[in-house]
Amino acid sequence: MQDTSGPSVKAAIIGASGYTGAELLRLLLSHPFIEVTIITSRQYENQPLTSVFPYFLNSKYQHLVFQSLNLEKIASVDLVFCCLPHKTSFPIIKDLLTTNPTLKIVDFSADFRFKNPAIYEQTYNVQHTAKELFEKSTYGLPEIYRNEIKNSTLIANPGCYPTSVILALYPAKKHNLIDEKFPVIADSKSGVTGAGRKATVDFTFCEINETFKAYAVEGHRHAPEIEEKLNLKVRFTPHLVPMNRGILSTVYFKTNATKDELIQTYEETYRNEPFVRIRKNPPTTSDVKGTNFCDIYITKDEKTGLGIAISAIDNIGKGASGQAIQNANLLFNFPETTGLEQFSWWI
Amino acid sequence: MQDTSGPSVKAAIIGASGYTGAELLRLLLSHPFIEVTIITSRQYENQPLTSVFPYFLNSKYQHLVFQSLNLEKIASVDLVFCCLPHKTSFPIIKDLLTTNPTLKIVDFSADFRFKNPAIYEQTYNVQHTAKELFEKSTYGLPEIYRNEIKNSTLIANPGCYPTSVILALYPAKKHNLIDEKFPVIADSKSGVTGAGRKATVDFTFCEINETFKAYAVEGHRHAPEIEEKLNLKVRFTPHLVPMNRGILSTVYFKTNATKDELIQTYEETYRNEPFVRIRKNPPTTSDVKGTNFCDIYITKDEKTGLGIAISAIDNIGKGASGQAIQNANLLFNFPETTGLEQFSWWI
Amino acid sequence: MQDTSGPSVKAAIIGASGYTGAELLRLLLSHPFIEVTIITSRQYENQPLTSVFPYFLNSKYQHLVFQSLNLEKIASVDLVFCCLPHKTSFPIIKDLLTTNPTLKIVDFSADFRFKNPAIYEQTYNVQHTAKELFEKSTYGLPEIYRNEIKNSTLIANPGCYPTSVILALYPAKKHNLIDEKFPVIADSKSGVTGAGRKATVDFTFCEINETFKAYAVEGHRHAPEIEEKLNLKVRFTPHLVPMNRGILSTVYFKTNATKDELIQTYEETYRNEPFVRIRKNPPTTSDVKGTNFCDIYITKDEKTGLGIAISAIDNIGKGASGQAIQNANLLFNFPETTGLEQFSWWI
Amino acid sequence: MQDTSGPSVKAAIIGASGYTGAELLRLLLSHPFIEVTIITSRQYENQPLTSVFPYFLNSKYQHLVFQSLNLEKIASVDLVFCCLPHKTSFPIIKDLLTTNPTLKIVDFSADFRFKNPAIYEQTYNVQHTAKELFEKSTYGLPEIYRNEIKNSTLIANPGCYPTSVILALYPAKKHNLIDEKFPVIADSKSGVTGAGRKATVDFTFCEINETFKAYAVEGHRHAPEIEEKLNLKVRFTPHLVPMNRGILSTVYFKTNATKDELIQTYEETYRNEPFVRIRKNPPTTSDVKGTNFCDIYITKDEKTGLGIAISAIDNIGKGASGQAIQNANLLFNFPETTGLEQFSWWI
């Protein structure tokens, strides 16, 4: 473990004015070993953090100012959180690693999430020009890839939906409890921060409030991510819930295992995981608000022979910024829960 | 058709102080042939309607007063809407029909919804002491039972979830497009009025707001209702959405039919239905707020061979009070859409 | 009164894709004498109404298509609702009236609200180039200007805040019950539709939901409108409430009148008003949702000698589209409540 | 300062199953010197904390069980947070202090907030039978009474509204900048947790959601509390906002001071306060969510000569549980911000 007498890791956040960037800053306020020294934003360049997010007044980050994206300066830190959108991330990461090959990076985009670049290119409809980095990159889901993450320098932070669905299915898949002749279905429901911070009429208050809908019904780009990591065909349907945070995934799979076997398998698989809680009752998204927890309930519907796993995460916690810090902790050999000791504020 | 020069049907609403009762009153304000003359409420007995619901001030119902449940008086009207909870409804309906055998009744409870009384008794854990009325009663889903409704006097108004799920599956089932070797799954999401108007901590604002959850995961009493009407085994999972009105059901079934065949079947089945709209895009619950519409989107996921039907209703519109008026119109041979011409207020 | 055997007035809505335009369309669905034949939208030109607002499917307006702004076509109708933003409205209205001087127009913008053009120009920071129309225009608050409206052709539909504040103060001002040595204070709270339908980060769901704030604290352009109509200095502070519809104004004025005198004055002033309800208890915004009502509660705080009037309206009902229809009814000598018989949907 | 090598203060929370109790537990999870060892609840007696609040799973308090109120056991701790309702608190506190006269208590009720018991008895309509404790008790608003708090053992934690209003007026009052011939007006708006955790129809989700109202217009019991502490007559009107947390108070007072004088006075008064932030722009309640901050904006309306102060707090943070911990820190001579280092989660 590194010296921990004070913040030893200097970090930059690229694209810090979005929801995941703001949540990173909030969480890192209480991280003893990581200090954010650079934040960038194209939109708010040269504006103080506290003029955009005044709630940081009086905090240790109150003097930060949004900067433009200066490769030299950013490459001089120890750790970069890259919160840029898909497709815009890989060229910058390529440049950063060229400038400083020992830089450690946690990337929030999908650009390095796939083992198979062809699936990425097809799903995101772009040519990937930094494929050589695929072999250096690791999918940052510690519950499955902890050891690879520790030995990596470029972490592809998982998508929020994939985190919730993969963790809900992983124990059953790992232990061959899924009858794959029947389709696996992941019916997911997300809060609105999942759409990011952007100015579109579709996400204005009045058009989201007091309504519920499915979207991307013909195909969502998180489906291939789920399928590659689980090596499993999954029907995935996302829905939008009029609330800020949280994803709840209700996952159905045909199984011959009994309810008790399922419970036992899930409990054993995650026994030593600090951030997965196998619940005795179905979780709510408010149980995990602001935290890095993934709460999972597993049961069986005897009538239909379906295993049903219900998982709840905070989409910008375990689904984004929390998990990014968990990955950063692994990268720097800090205790994995450092800075992630928050429990839900519930109401 | 009856004489329609003015309100010719006198109606009573039993249990009028709940959400469905209040919605009935609101909708019937614009019904030209039905006039509410009696409203009852145990809780608000002797209180004016406008002291409980002041928004009825200046309306034609502003002078109504909540009364106690007086069988003689109620049996003297032409039509009774019975909005009492399950189990408390059947003894009162039995007494009403004994007092006035020609009374027409639309019952909102589950007490007369089942063909098979044993399923009712098992599901609701009570002995039914008015089973002789089962043969007089009709399940009030006009899209399937229109003719039976017209010739009936006791209508069992369907549950809100069953309305949304049955209408989403009925065309596929009717035309044998469901491969029943695979379980059918109905993943439903409801607004909070579905829980009724009751004082419990679980439904206070702060504990519903900003959270999402599944409930009754081990079994919900609407599942047997769905299964009996469709003659189909269905895995049903309800969820609670932090909004007042609306149910969206996402329904999955294995099918050999193509997407086009599914669309064509759904369009044909509901071609002449005034309240079912087959949508070209997935509906939102705000599309049907305050209305008697059921909007349905049907598609196919080629990868998994799943037909996916998404239906949206207002749970206290088509899911309760709107449908009750539709049934009343059929009972009295009024045009079926009378008083139900509302379109969504959207925002 | 005009012939009322069927829709006799053909209407156009300019800028029909915003919240007020959509509400106009919804309300006019049930108006027996007005028929919308043209809707315009720059943003959605050539798109069917139902592709933007699918909830109009099956309605009598389902075949409307958003058109570009064609002066000739629009000037050929009987009635124009102009829902354009401030400053963009007056040039178009000038052109319309040049093309067809008998056209009747209800303008939603502030462009013709002021008697004194200098105040308009200062408040909206623009030069008004159609000042000659000021003498033809009437401020469309029927409770004060009913007769002028009937004899006018150009109606300046009042602002939503001014409607709520003016109606709350008018009886006290009219009867000289306000001690004007003390400042009058209007502390208003509005739902989010008041901001219009626009794509800005500030009004995205997540940044409005679960928060409350004052805005335009140093001065809001509705203050001069209130002050001119009441001939009274008023401190006006608007706030934003995380809900779609509704304005509640809490208005404080020093008075020597007793509570009973205040109540009596308010009741008498509005005795014959179809859309003002003097309430015995403080109103909520849900009492008036979707309606053209303004509910007012008046009381006195003996300790401080303050009269306190609390008014509630639906900002896009009586605060915009409802009031526009009320004005249109007056313009065409229809019964004033035609098409405005809705009562609140409450929940 | 006490020894701080580990939690040295054992604390009990009486009435821990309400919103303030739950928030205390959440905040104290990260307090290094205070350890909660007893939680009581009449309603959930003998139930584990995590069966009522499952989000505490995996936390250091996960093994706590709600107990009945055992005076002996409770009196054996060092510090009691008493979260009981008004009127039920004083008899228990009297007994506790009889059992253990050195016990330190922070009481959340109004029972010891008044200097003048007659005002308490009149406001709360009860005879106070522990008046002898009034001289030992201190009003727990550290910004005004810090030194008295440090030397006290019984702290009356202020009401949420009074905290927001008193802090907004205190600098102006203290420096004689208020022209008291004119009434001072505090127009306050609160989130719903302010009503406490109770089962009533009035606070169910559907009846709070999407509506806004004033309440207690004829008189709220927090007004006398504000007036006694400020020695100032204040018109106080509370409103209910459909959101969980937060109070925003808009306060108006006549003043001869200039805007600059007001700003300077406010900044100087609170210069050394760790939890008051004088803002350059009006605050939102989301700026202070989950925190112990009170954000204040001060300005002047030249037209009317009104000073306008806008304050924002989290009603269960600085308005209750946060302030209680601040008081506890003072009681035990811990650094005042200990355990209160949270910044808002914003969205």
Side-chain angles (χ1 to χ4, degrees), chain B residues 42 82-93 109 111 120:
Chain B
R42 208 170 42 180
C82 186
C83 303
L84 296 177
H86 312 308
K87 307 182 192 179
T88 62
S89 194
F90 68 76
I92 286 163
I93 286 176
S109 84
D111 289 3
Y120 172 81

Side-chain angles (χ1 to χ4, degrees), chain B residues 230-292:
Chain B
L230 285 172
N231 189 26
L232 187 69
K233 241 194 290 187
V234 177
R235 163 63 208 180
F236 170 66
T237 314
H239 301 73
L240 194 62
V241 185
M243 63 182 186
N244 284 4
R245 292 171 179 243
I247 288 179
L248 191 123
S249 290
T250 314
V251 180
Y252 305 87
F253 56 91
K254 191 86 174 173
T255 184
N256 290 317
T258 65
K259 181 172 172 178
D260 282 351
E261 284 167 348
L262 288 171
I263 293 173
Q264 200 178 345
T265 301
Y266 274 65
E267 288 183 341
E268 277 174 13
T269 305
Y270 292 130
R271 180 142 293 157
N272 297 312
E273 288 301 331
F275 293 116
V276 179
R277 300 186 293 197
I278 301 303
R279 297 282 304 274
K280 299 212 178 308
N281 291 297
T284 74
T285 60
S286 59
D287 291 338
V288 296
K289 264 194 245 181
T291 80
N292 199 47

Side-chain angles (χ1 to χ4, degrees), chain B residues 126-310:
Chain B
V126 67
Q127 204 187 338
H128 201 301
T129 61
K131 285 182 198 141
E132 66 280 10
L133 294 175
F134 271 48
E135 63 188 36
K136 301 181 69 148
S137 70
T138 302
Y139 191 70
L141 194 61
E143 288 76 10
I144 305 186
Y145 301 100
R146 183 169 285 112
N147 288 329
E148 294 88 326
I149 294 166
K150 287 183 177 177
N151 296 312
S152 184
T153 53
L154 172 54
I155 305 300
N157 212 46
C160 49
Y161 283 125
T163 296
S164 80
V165 174
I166 293 171
L167 291 177
L169 281 168
Y170 174 62
K173 171 68 184 178
K174 184 182 177 194
H175 293 89
N176 295 309
L177 302 182
I178 300 176
D179 179 349
E180 298 189 25
K181 293 193 304 293
F182 296 73
V184 172
I185 295 172
D187 192 284
S188 293
K189 301 88 176 175
S190 176
V192 187
T193 45
R197 192 171 184 235
K198 58 190 175 197
T200 59
V201 165
D202 285 358
F203 288 94
T204 48
F205 181 80
C206 302
E207 307 195 18
I208 295 292
N209 186 36
E210 291 296 288
T211 191
F212 183 86
K213 65 176 172 186
Y215 66 98
V217 174
E218 310 306 324
H220 186 281
R221 56 198 188 188
H222 278 172
E225 186 180 332
I226 295 166
E227 294 185 319
E228 187 190 75
K229 300 313 162 192
L230 285 172
N231 189 26
L232 187 69
K233 241 194 290 187
V234 177
R235 163 63 208 180
F236 170 66
T237 314
H239 301 73
L240 194 62
V241 185
M243 63 182 186
N244 284 4
R245 292 171 179 243
I247 288 179
L248 191 123
S249 290
T250 314
V251 180
Y252 305 87
F253 56 91
K254 191 86 174 173
T255 184
N256 290 317
T258 65
K259 181 172 172 178
D260 282 351
E261 284 167 348
L262 288 171
I263 293 173
Q264 200 178 345
T265 301
Y266 274 65
E267 288 183 341
E268 277 174 13
T269 305
Y270 292 130
R271 180 142 293 157
N272 297 312
E273 288 301 331
F275 293 116
V276 179
R277 300 186 293 197
I278 301 303
R279 297 282 304 274
K280 299 212 178 308
N281 291 297
T284 74
T285 60
S286 59
D287 291 338
V288 296
K289 264 194 245 181
T291 80
N292 199 47
F293 287 114
C294 177
D295 281 15
I296 299 176
Y297 177 75
I298 176 73
T299 189
K300 185 165 183 191
D301 183 40
E302 294 302 337
K303 183 181 68 184
T304 54
L306 288 169
I308 301 169
I310 300 175

Side-chain angles (χ1 to χ4, degrees), chain D residues 96-159:
Chain D
L96 283 172
L97 286 175
T98 304
T99 311
N100 176 1
T102 67
L103 195 59
K104 298 190 176 182
I105 300 178
V106 180
D107 181 34
F108 282 57
S109 85
D111 289 2
F112 297 100
R113 289 186 195 151
F114 290 85
K115 281 276 166 239
N116 182 344
I119 298 179
Y120 172 83
E121 293 188 331
Q122 185 186 335
T123 305
Y124 290 86
N125 195 28
V126 70
Q127 205 188 337
H128 200 301
T129 61
K131 286 183 197 138
E132 67 280 11
L133 295 175
F134 270 50
E135 63 186 37
K136 303 182 67 147
S137 70
T138 302
Y139 191 69
L141 195 61
E143 289 76 10
I144 305 186
Y145 301 101
R146 181 168 286 111
N147 288 330
E148 294 89 326
I149 293 165
K150 286 183 178 177
N151 295 312
S152 185
T153 53
L154 172 53
I155 305 301
N157 212 46

Side-chain angles (χ1 to χ4, degrees), chain A residues 187 218 227 250 252 297 303, chain B residues 187 218 227 252 297 303:
Chain A
D187 192 284
E218 310 307 323
E227 294 184 320
T250 313
Y252 305 88
Y297 177 75
K303 183 180 67 184
Chain B
D187 192 284
E218 310 306 324
E227 294 185 319
Y252 305 87
Y297 177 75
K303 183 181 68 184

Side-chain angles (χ1 to χ4, degrees), chain C residues 187 218 227 252 297 303, chain D residues 187 218 227 250 252 297 303:
Chain C
D187 191 284
E218 310 306 324
E227 294 185 320
Y252 305 87
Y297 177 75
K303 185 180 66 183
Chain D
D187 192 284
E218 310 306 324
E227 294 185 319
T250 313
Y252 305 88
Y297 178 75
K303 183 180 67 184

